[in-house]
Amino acid sequence: MVDRRAGRSPGAGDWPLFAPAQWVPVNGDYGYGCACLQIIVSARGPATRPAQVRRIVAAQALPLGFASATRRTGASALSGCGR
């Protein structure tokens, strides 16, 4: 979860700014939305320590339900990410 007003979370870089129609509020300023992120991650450690996001290079907010729609249709999730 991320505070959309602050647009920040652990890991350096800018989170996407979500329009009200792209954001589901949960518990105050927290909530969720759908986005494509281009990220840099740490090297994966042992199974008990997965890779961590080190930096967000690019971010794009998407319409809610985008991920669900791509799973239903079998379309590539990257097709909505400006690629």
Side-chain angles (χ1 to χ4, degrees):
M1 289 202 217
V2 64
D3 178 341
R4 75 180 165 103
R5 286 189 227 171
R8 306 295 287 173
S9 186
D14 293 328
W15 282 83
L17 295 177
F18 293 94
Q22 296 172 307
W23 188 255
V24 178
V26 177
N27 192 20
D29 288 332
Y30 294 93
Y32 62 91
C34 186
C36 284
L37 300 175
Q38 182 180 4
I39 58 173
I40 296 173
V41 296
S42 65
R44 186 181 170 113
T48 57
R49 198 193 93 202
Q52 296 179 344
V53 174
R54 295 291 184 201
R55 184 166 175 3
I56 299 169
V57 177
Q60 176 185 357
L62 299 171
L64 283 170
F66 177 80
S68 298
T70 56
R71 279 195 299 267
R72 279 194 309 275
T73 64
S76 168
L78 295 178
S79 64
C81 295
R83 295 191 188 275

